[in-house]
């Protein structure tokens, strides 16, 4: 039977008072056995209702039901306590009756009706202050309860106090806002990544989860969220995966600096794992230190160039001092030999002038840097400055056996310039062309007036300039070659002086070259004087006259043997590209009775050594084409027992060590005391160290 069938029997006594055997199935009377069964069911139902009521009254959540008019049918004890009411004061009342705020009461009543109409659950939240003064925030659910016929008979409601949760959410929201503000405002890059492992558990990539705005600025990566590192930078080095993977797998934080070549950036990074094992998330805080690294590299390069410059300066000063000291030794030995005396004085004068030139370059660059050079501007003819430059540089050009051609326009070119400084500009460029050209090379100087400027092109067929060096040759202490391979030396400041002097004249200079061994060209532009007078000043010479006027006599090739006493002393080979130094050393050794041969380059020295079989070789290090270290290796193979002595302007400890490793027995630094050299030459082979 159904519950509806027993509605007229409200209590067990009703069943018990019915006539015995009067109950039958269906519409008939119930039997005694059925009466007992109904009594038991009624008892169980009553017990279940009391159990259900006890549960609803004991929970802290509010439980209640509504009828179709939105009136409370049932209210549990928790909600009654909130209101401060008894059950009979609440049942049959609606939200308006219970003095809810009008707008809230209307909303709740509408939502109850919505459940009846749509048969759908309604969930919502609301703040509420009860009549007892308890304020809070509540989450409620209105659900339909369906009867046997499938219609919504009433609405079941439950409400939970979420005040504490809302407070925590507010705290978290505020904390998140602060975090986000800090996250977006710090000037360091920040990102969260997730390490991706391969099947063997090895880091193979990582995915970007979150990052701040500075991240994009410092890395150059955009729209990175959700993408992997290799998606954004396909050539990214594996070291980044290994470093971050170790942090994720071990939990050990790390701070380091490293560079990424594909990104062309240096980073200072602090990496730490987020959470405990097995978290594979890592937080990165980093800065882009590329500019700092470039500055550090520039400082290191500056220090390197400074050290190289000081070593070069010492070398360049020692080179002319060597023949000067040798010349003084010669003067001590000669008495009435006027020809040798005069020749020696000329050598000393030339080398002294070289020292003066080096010192002048140093002083010029210092004065220019400090703004102390003042130009004495006057109306000059370009040809005059070129003539004066050639008078000084022609000796070096001839010594290098270079072919010089000059092409000047018939009509004179006038400049408003400082004649001395303009001459210095062309002198330095021409000297460079001669120094960095092989013997037999070609040098040309062409000039013309063009677009308000005098355009002077000085071109050579010499060493050439690599593309990366084209940007550096005008810098202070810039050198085309490393010191040991320099054929003609120099401080590396000549072109820097040239550039600054040209700029002071409001002109410009450019350097061009197709690379190593393909020569170079310098193009100088100097503003023309305001008026180009047709009047020709004292310039009667042709281009050939200019060259002929400047030419100087070169020393004879040293490939000859000299011996004054022709005694049985040791045969000595002298190798140096400084002809004055060779001549002075040759004179001194000849005066001591030694048989000498000389050479100005390594290849020549090897050929002479094969035929001459010298017992002693005195070699410079800074030789053209083949340096002294390379030459020592060849000579040691040809002359296993010979005494090899390097005589060089390079005097640092690494220079001495390199000499010994190359095969030299001794390394002497210019200028050498001749008496000290003689002591080494006179040593027997078994005395050599």
């Amino acid at each position: 039977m159904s519950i509806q069938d027993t509605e007229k029997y409200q209590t067990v006594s009703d069943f018990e008072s019915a006539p015995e055997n009067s109950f039958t199935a269906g519409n008939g009377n119930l039997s005694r056995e059925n009466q007992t069964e109904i009594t038991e069911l009624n008892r169980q139902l009553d017990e279940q209702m009391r159990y259900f009521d006890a549960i609803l009254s004991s929970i802290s959540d509010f439980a209640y039901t509504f009828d179709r008019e939105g009136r409370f049918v049932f209210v549990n004890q928790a909600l009654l306590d909130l209101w401060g009411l008894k059950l009979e004061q609440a049942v049959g009342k609606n939200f308006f009756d219970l003095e809810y705020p009008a707008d809230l009461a209307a909303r709740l009543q509408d939502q109850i009706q919505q459940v009846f109409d749509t048969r759908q659950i309604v969930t919502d939240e609301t703040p509420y202050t009860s009549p007892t003064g308890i304020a809070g925030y509540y989450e409620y659910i209105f659900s339909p309860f369906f009867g046997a016929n499938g219609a919504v008979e009433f609405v079941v409601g439950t409400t939970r106090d979420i005040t504490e949760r809302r407070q925590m959410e507010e705290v978290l929201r505020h904390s998140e806002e602060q975090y986000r503000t800090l996250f977006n405002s710090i000037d360091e890059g920040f990102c969260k990544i997730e390490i991706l492992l391969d099947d063997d558990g090895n880091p193979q990539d990582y995915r970007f989860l979150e990052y701040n705005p500075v991240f994009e600025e410092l890395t150059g990566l955009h729209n990175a969220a959700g993408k992997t590192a290799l998606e954004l930078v396909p050539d990214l080095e594996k070291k980044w995966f290994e470093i971050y993977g170790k942090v994720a797998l071990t939990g050990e934080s790390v701070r380091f600096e490293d560079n990424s070549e594909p990104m062309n950036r240096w980073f200072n990074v602090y990496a730490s794992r987020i959470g405990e094992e097995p978290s594979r998330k890592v937080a990165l805080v980093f800065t882009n230190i590329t500019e700092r690294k470039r500055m550090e590299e520039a400082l290191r390069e500056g220090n390197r160039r400074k050290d190289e410059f000081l070593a070069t300066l010492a070398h360049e000063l020692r080179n002319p001092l060597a023949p000067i000291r040798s010349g003084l030794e010669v003067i001590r030995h000669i008495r009435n030999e006027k020809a040798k005396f005069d020749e020696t004085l000329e050598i000393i004068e030339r080398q002294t002038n070289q020292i003066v030139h080096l010192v002048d370059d140093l002083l010029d660059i210092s004065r220019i840097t400090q703004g102390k050079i003042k130009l004495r501007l006057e109306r000059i003819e370009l040809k005059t400055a070129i003539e004066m430059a050639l008078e000084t540089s022609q000796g070096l050009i001839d010594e290098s056996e270079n072919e010089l051609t000059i092409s000047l326009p018939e009509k004179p070119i006038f400049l408003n310039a400082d004649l001395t400084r303009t001459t210095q500009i062309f002198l330095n460029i021409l000297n460079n062309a001669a120094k960095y050209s092989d013997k037999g090379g070609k040098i040309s100087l062409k000039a013309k007036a063009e677009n308000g400027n005098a355009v002077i092109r000085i071109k050579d067929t010499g060493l050439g300039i690599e593309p990366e060096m084209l940007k550096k040759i005008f810098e202070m202490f810039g050198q085309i070659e490393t010191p040991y391979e320099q054929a003609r030396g120099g401080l590396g400041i000549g072109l820097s002086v040239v550039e600054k002097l040209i700029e002071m004249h409001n002109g410009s200079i450019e350097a061009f070259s197709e690379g190593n061994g393909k020569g170079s060209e310098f193009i100088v532009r100097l503003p023309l004087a305001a008026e180009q007078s047709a009047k020709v000043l004292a310039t009667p010479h042709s281009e050939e006259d200019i060259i002929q006027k400047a030419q100087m006599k070169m020393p004879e090739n040293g490939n000859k043997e000299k011996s004054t006493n022709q005694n049985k002393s040791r045969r000595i080979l002298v190798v140096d590209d400084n002809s004055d130094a060779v001549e002075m050393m040759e004179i001194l050794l000849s005066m001591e009775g030694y048989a000498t041969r000389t050479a100005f380059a390594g290849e020549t020295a090897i050929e002479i050594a094969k035929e001459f079989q010298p017992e002693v070789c005195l070699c410079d290090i800074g030789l053209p084409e083949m340096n002294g270290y390379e030459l020592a290796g060849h000579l040691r193979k040809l002359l296993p027992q010979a005494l090899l002595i390097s005589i060089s302007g390079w005097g640092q400890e690494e220079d001495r060590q390199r000499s010994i490793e190359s095969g030299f027995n001794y390394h002497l630094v210019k200028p050498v005391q001749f008496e000290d050299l003689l002591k080494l030459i006179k040593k027997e082979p078994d005395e050599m160290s």
Side-chain angles (χ1 to χ4, degrees):
M1 69 176 182
S2 66
I3 294 297
Q4 287 86 345
D5 294 330
T6 62
E7 286 182 355
K8 58 180 179 178
Y9 302 105
Q10 301 299 316
T11 65
V12 174
S13 59
D14 293 332
F15 290 104
E16 292 175 344
S17 61
E20 186 175 357
N21 297 322
S22 62
F23 297 99
T24 60
N27 294 327
N29 295 328
L30 293 173
S31 66
R32 175 64 63 179
E33 290 80 4
N34 287 335
Q35 178 185 359
T36 303
E37 181 180 353
I38 292 300
T39 300
E40 178 60 22
L41 288 173
N42 199 27
R43 185 191 65 77
Q44 291 179 6
L45 179 62
D46 183 59
E47 183 178 331
Q48 289 292 330
M49 291 299 294
R50 284 186 283 107
Y51 179 68
F52 175 72
D53 185 61
I55 291 175
L56 292 179
S57 297
S58 64
I59 62 175
S60 57
D61 289 352
F62 310 143
Y64 42 87
T65 57
F66 303 101
D67 60 17
R68 280 191 170 274
E69 283 68 39
R71 294 174 298 198
F72 285 97
V73 176
F74 168 80
V75 181
N76 75 339
Q77 191 60 45
L79 184 54
L80 292 173
D81 292 341
L82 178 69
W83 290 334
L85 300 175
K86 294 181 179 180
L87 180 60
E88 57 271 18
Q89 294 175 302
V91 173
K93 304 289 181 64
N94 60 27
F95 289 110
F96 292 104
D97 297 331
L98 296 173
E99 300 181 354
Y100 269 60
D103 56 342
L104 176 58
R107 189 176 91 200
L108 295 172
Q109 293 295 130
D110 289 343
Q111 289 173 332
I112 294 170
Q113 190 60 45
Q114 181 181 345
V115 175
F116 277 109
D117 294 342
T118 66
R119 304 160 63 91
Q120 300 294 320
I121 295 174
V122 172
T123 302
D124 206 350
E125 297 177 359
T126 184
Y128 173 66
T129 302
S130 72
T132 57
I134 299 175
Y137 209 93
Y138 300 91
E139 177 186 65
Y140 58 90
I141 301 175
F142 294 164
S143 303
F145 183 85
F146 300 98
N149 59 1
V152 179
E153 291 191 0
F154 50 87
V155 172
V156 176
T158 57
T159 299
R160 173 167 293 179
D161 186 344
I162 59 170
T163 305
E164 185 175 347
R165 190 187 82 188
R166 288 292 296 231
Q167 289 173 342
M168 289 298 298
E169 288 175 350
E170 182 63 23
V171 171
L172 288 174
R173 185 189 63 78
H174 183 66
S175 176
E176 172 67 17
E177 288 180 353
Q178 289 182 319
Y179 162 76
R180 187 59 54 185
T181 300
L182 177 63
F183 183 75
N184 291 332
S185 64
I186 59 176
D187 57 3
E188 293 182 308
F190 176 82
C191 66
K192 294 179 183 178
I193 62 174
E194 180 182 15
I195 305 300
L196 305 178
L197 307 177
D198 60 21
D199 294 338
D200 296 325
N202 299 314
Q204 63 175 354
D205 201 350
Y206 54 84
R207 179 178 289 106
F208 292 99
L209 303 177
E210 185 180 12
Y211 54 86
N212 67 346
V214 181
F215 168 90
E216 294 187 340
E217 177 185 341
L218 298 185
T219 64
L221 304 178
H222 301 281
N223 302 317
K227 297 179 182 177
T228 69
L230 289 177
E231 285 180 291
L232 297 169
V233 188
D235 297 329
L236 188 65
E237 302 92 337
K238 291 183 179 179
K239 62 185 176 182
W240 301 100
F241 311 146
E242 294 170 356
I243 294 172
Y244 300 149
K246 183 178 180 181
V247 172
L249 294 171
T250 66
E252 297 177 3
S253 300
V254 63
R255 182 182 294 278
F256 65 97
E257 292 182 358
D258 211 332
N259 74 312
S260 173
E261 291 187 5
M263 298 179 71
N264 194 28
R265 285 171 168 82
W266 272 86
F267 297 101
N268 180 303
V269 184
Y270 177 75
S272 60
R273 187 172 70 189
I274 302 174
E276 300 297 327
E277 179 70 25
S279 172
R280 297 293 177 258
K281 295 179 181 179
V282 175
L284 307 179
V285 180
F286 63 93
T287 54
N288 185 334
I289 58 172
T290 307
E291 191 59 34
R292 192 194 83 193
K293 285 292 183 179
R294 287 173 180 164
M295 293 177 63
E296 289 175 355
E297 180 59 29
L299 287 173
R300 281 194 295 270
E301 176 65 12
N303 286 333
R304 184 194 65 78
R305 289 167 60 182
K306 178 197 69 177
D307 294 342
E308 184 177 294
F309 164 73
L310 293 175
T312 304
L313 175 60
H315 174 270
E316 292 301 305
L317 291 175
R318 285 167 179 156
N319 267 341
L321 286 174
I324 291 174
R325 170 167 281 174
S326 299
L328 294 175
E329 292 290 341
V330 171
I331 290 174
R332 288 193 186 97
H333 288 78
I334 59 178
R335 299 296 181 184
N336 299 317
E337 300 180 49
K338 187 176 185 305
K340 282 190 176 181
F341 185 85
D342 291 343
E343 184 181 359
T344 302
L345 287 182
E346 288 179 6
I347 290 174
I348 292 175
E349 183 179 14
R350 277 200 302 271
Q351 298 303 318
T352 302
N353 288 338
Q354 176 65 11
I355 294 176
V356 171
H357 179 70
L358 292 173
V359 173
D360 283 344
D361 272 354
L362 286 171
L363 291 175
D364 279 346
I365 201 67
S366 175
R367 292 190 191 107
I368 291 172
T369 303
Q370 298 177 51
K372 292 183 178 180
I373 281 189
K374 303 297 181 184
L375 298 181
R376 298 178 181 178
L377 300 178
E378 58 182 333
R379 185 183 178 81
I380 67 169
E381 188 181 353
L382 176 62
K383 183 183 289 187
T384 305
I386 293 174
E387 283 180 347
M388 293 176 65
L390 279 172
E391 286 177 4
T392 304
S393 66
Q394 188 68 53
L396 182 56
I397 293 172
D398 291 345
E399 184 179 351
S400 302
E401 300 178 13
N402 295 137
E403 178 186 336
L404 173 66
T405 59
I406 296 178
S407 176
L408 300 178
E410 293 183 4
K411 187 176 181 180
I413 297 176
F414 294 98
L415 309 173
N416 186 34
D418 185 313
L419 179 59
T420 301
R421 297 303 180 183
T422 306
T423 300
Q424 185 178 357
I425 289 169
F426 299 127
L427 173 61
N428 281 357
I429 299 175
L430 287 168
N431 281 349
N432 256 23
K435 284 194 299 183
Y436 293 107
S437 291
D438 296 332
K439 288 187 177 182
K442 296 181 179 181
I443 301 173
S444 66
L445 185 154
K446 298 180 181 180
K448 65 178 180 178
E450 181 180 273
N451 298 326
N453 290 306
V455 181
I456 304 94
R457 298 173 180 267
I458 301 176
K459 190 172 184 178
D460 63 69
T461 58
L463 184 66
I465 308 170
E466 293 294 347
E468 62 272 14
M469 286 302 302
L470 283 171
K471 302 176 182 178
K472 299 181 180 179
I473 57 174
F474 295 112
E475 296 178 4
M476 186 77 72
F477 314 136
Q479 292 280 6
I480 292 179
E481 302 166 287
T482 56
Y484 296 127
E485 285 74 33
Q486 286 176 0
R488 298 292 179 178
L491 298 180
I493 61 177
L495 289 178
S496 181
V497 171
V498 165
E499 182 186 48
K500 289 175 172 56
L501 288 176
I502 290 174
E503 288 175 351
M504 292 176 68
H505 282 85
N506 297 318
S508 65
I509 182 171
E510 295 177 278
F512 300 91
S513 177
E514 294 182 4
N516 188 30
K518 296 184 178 180
S520 57
E521 181 179 23
F522 290 84
I523 301 178
V524 177
R525 290 180 172 83
L526 295 170
L528 297 172
E531 294 182 7
Q532 293 292 305
S533 172
K535 181 181 179 181
V536 179
L537 300 185
T539 55
H541 305 295
S542 65
E543 287 81 358
E544 290 76 11
D545 292 333
I546 294 173
I547 297 174
Q548 202 169 29
K549 178 181 177 182
Q551 283 178 336
M552 299 171 63
K553 181 182 178 182
M554 283 288 292
E556 295 181 6
N557 194 316
N559 190 8
K560 60 182 184 293
E561 182 177 339
K562 289 188 179 180
S563 176
T564 54
N565 298 330
Q566 292 297 327
N567 57 24
K568 295 183 180 181
S569 301
R570 290 181 172 178
R571 296 180 301 279
I572 300 177
L573 173 62
V574 181
V575 188
D576 198 318
D577 63 328
N578 186 320
S579 58
D580 287 339
V582 168
E583 187 167 355
M584 283 295 94
M585 184 60 67
E586 185 181 35
I587 292 173
L588 286 173
L589 293 172
S590 296
M591 292 172 64
E592 291 293 325
Y594 292 107
T596 61
R597 296 285 293 275
T598 62
F600 300 131
E603 292 290 347
T604 306
I606 292 172
E607 293 302 317
I608 293 174
K610 291 177 181 178
E611 179 265 325
F612 184 52
Q613 291 294 303
E615 298 166 275
V616 179
C617 297
L618 309 179
C619 300
D620 186 23
I621 296 299
L623 297 172
E625 300 176 8
M626 177 190 298
N627 65 41
Y629 300 128
E630 296 168 329
L631 176 59
H634 292 287
L635 292 177
R636 183 53 70 199
K637 292 178 182 178
L638 286 172
L639 312 164
Q641 303 302 319
L643 173 64
L644 302 187
I645 302 174
S646 63
I647 301 178
S648 173
W650 304 106
Q652 296 179 316
E653 183 57 36
E654 56 264 32
D655 303 318
R656 299 175 187 273
Q657 185 63 33
R658 188 172 176 184
S659 284
I660 302 304
E661 292 172 354
S662 300
F664 287 106
N665 298 100
Y666 301 100
H667 180 92
L668 301 182
V669 180
K670 297 177 181 180
V672 177
Q673 288 283 2
F674 190 63
E675 292 180 2
D676 295 336
L677 178 61
L678 287 178
K679 290 178 183 178
L680 294 179
I681 292 174
K682 292 175 181 179
K683 280 188 175 184
E684 295 299 325
D686 58 357
E687 297 180 293
M688 298 179 193
S689 58

